[in-house]
Amino acid sequence: MLVCNHVIIFNDFRHTKIINTQSSFPRIRVKEVTFSRGSIQDSRETRKLVMDTTGKTITCWAAIAWAKNVPLSVEKVQVEPPKAGEVRIKMTSSGICGSDDHVLKGLSPMKFPLIPGHEGAGIVESIGEGVCSVKPGDKVLTLPLPQCRECSACLHPKGNFCEKQDVLPSSGLMLDGTSRFTCRGEKIYHLFRTSTFAEYTVVQEIGVAKIDDAAPMDKICIISCEVPTGYGAAVHSAKVTPGSTCVVFGLGGIGSAVVMGCKASGASRIIGVDINEEKFPQARALGVTDCINPRKLKKPVQEVIMEMTGIGVDFAFEAIGLSDTMVAAWESCHLSYGVCVIIGVTPPNTPFSLDGGNVFSGRTLKGTCLGDYKTRDSFPQLVTDYLQNKINIDPLITHQLPFNQIHKAFELYRAGKTIRCVLLF
């Protein structure tokens, strides 16, 4: 449908307006792009998008946080074309992650207004100058941690915290120091250079991973964060061994993925710790053998875990982001060879102290981000592993909602009713 100086493409619950900045009546070069949506996985059944929006500013819907502790506002935003080294993506799905909630609550220092979201999957709509790793029509994951393949972290065989990341600290801008989003004439900041709570987003090429064309786009988004962060912490970062005993602090999305990784690695006992007992049945289904609610104990949880195991656990994982639970995880480990892996992130400047007299005994304390995977190299393989039934991510997704129900999705998350809720565009 051509209406004066713009084209309207009707989607499920709202429309996307394509602004032509060149003339009042645009010439439209049409091509066919297919993508998977909902439960559709077979490419023969995919819906077809017809449009070439290359070089044009797109007006679409996005969820904006105008300030911390303020409800998200779903509004129309303008998304500029990608510049050199950038990719514009039509989002198909995005998960609700605890990191997004921390940002909205002001627990992570960010610049506002911003568009949250980082765990995403979509279709490449257009590319900027010099982009060669993806092309329009490719299925991709957005990467909250990029891989430039040039910095000291990327070049080191064990490093993955790329120096071109925008997490610590966060500028809220693309690498050239500018934003691609505007709303009501005001600049809108990016989150981790991903901002997946939008129908379209712009990401650096180094922050995009091309994935298998057979990937189901209503599920695969969680491989951009939840799966590598949790599952990867167990199988890749800690390298859990067969027959070992593990404890997981926090049985939300990330903790559940840790449990899945521990079980896949052959752990014989997996202790789950959480104050929300409604999570216990699902945790047991994923592989937890013992569930503990610290609030019902008469002594510190680490003492109870020591009594349960007799010697302490082989591997402890903290997936909450509190200094107290970090200490508890450390003190749950075997004194000589236990490994404590910190996944959770505390607010900045939060003190974290250990008994210095007990550190020398041999225990290992380790932090991890996205399972220590080199993101562009490894995430496509995780997708392939899922397609080949080597890993099963399906149990980690308990809810799927259309993007316009994003407020309900956050309500479910904050009420502890979901492991992972995926938004569908």
Side-chain angles (χ1 to χ4, degrees), residues 339-400:
V339 177
C340 178
V341 180
I342 304 298
I343 306 169
V345 181
T346 68
N349 303 314
T350 301
F352 170 45
S353 59
L354 303 174
D355 181 353
N358 291 328
V359 175
F360 79 100
S361 62
R363 276 177 294 186
T364 300
L365 178 65
K366 174 179 174 51
T368 183
C369 181
L370 291 173
D372 292 340
Y373 289 113
K374 291 184 183 295
T375 52
R376 292 170 73 193
D377 292 343
S378 302
F379 286 14
Q381 183 58 52
L382 289 174
V383 172
T384 301
D385 288 346
Y386 169 65
L387 294 174
Q388 295 176 350
N389 297 316
K390 294 179 181 178
I391 58 174
N392 182 17
I393 67 173
D394 295 355
L396 298 175
I397 300 174
T398 54
H399 296 76
Q400 291 180 313

Side-chain angles (χ1 to χ4, degrees), residues 6 21 33 36 39 69 83 108 115 137 185 192 209 212 242 259 269 282 291 293 298 322 327 338 400:
H6 61 269
T21 58
V33 179
S36 298
S39 61
N69 291 315
K83 295 185 179 181
S108 301
I115 296 174
F192 306 155
D212 195 302
V259 171
R269 190 176 190 183
Q282 181 69 24
C291 293
N293 181 350
K298 296 180 179 180
L322 297 174
V327 172
Q400 291 180 313

Side-chain angles (χ1 to χ4, degrees), residues 84 110 151 208 217 285 326 391 406 412 417 423:
M110 298 291 167
C151 70
V208 171
M217 300 303 281
M326 292 177 180
I391 58 174
I406 188 170
L412 289 169
K417 302 292 186 181
L423 300 171

Side-chain angles (χ1 to χ4, degrees), residues 19 53 103 301 401:
I19 296 178
T53 51
V103 168
V301 64
L401 294 173

Side-chain angles (χ1 to χ4, degrees), residues 145-220:
L145 197 62
Q147 184 187 351
C148 72
R149 297 174 176 154
E150 298 175 345
C151 70
S152 61
C154 288
L155 293 175
H156 192 281
K158 294 184 178 180
N160 82 325
F161 205 77
C162 178
E163 293 173 12
K164 292 184 179 179
Q165 52 80 25
D166 198 47
V167 179
L168 294 174
S170 176
S171 69
L173 301 170
M174 301 298 280
L175 284 171
D176 70 351
T178 63
S179 171
R180 300 293 167 269
F181 298 114
T182 55
C183 181
R184 307 182 205 166
E186 184 174 348
K187 174 176 68 178
I188 306 298
Y189 288 100
H190 298 244
L191 177 68
F192 306 155
R193 300 196 178 110
T194 50
S195 291
T196 59
F197 292 169
E199 291 179 313
Y200 286 84
T201 190
V202 178
V203 180
Q204 304 288 160
E205 180 184 14
I206 60 174
V208 171
K210 182 181 182 302
I211 59 175
D212 195 302
D213 286 339
M217 300 303 281
D218 60 332
K219 301 176 181 179
I220 215 67

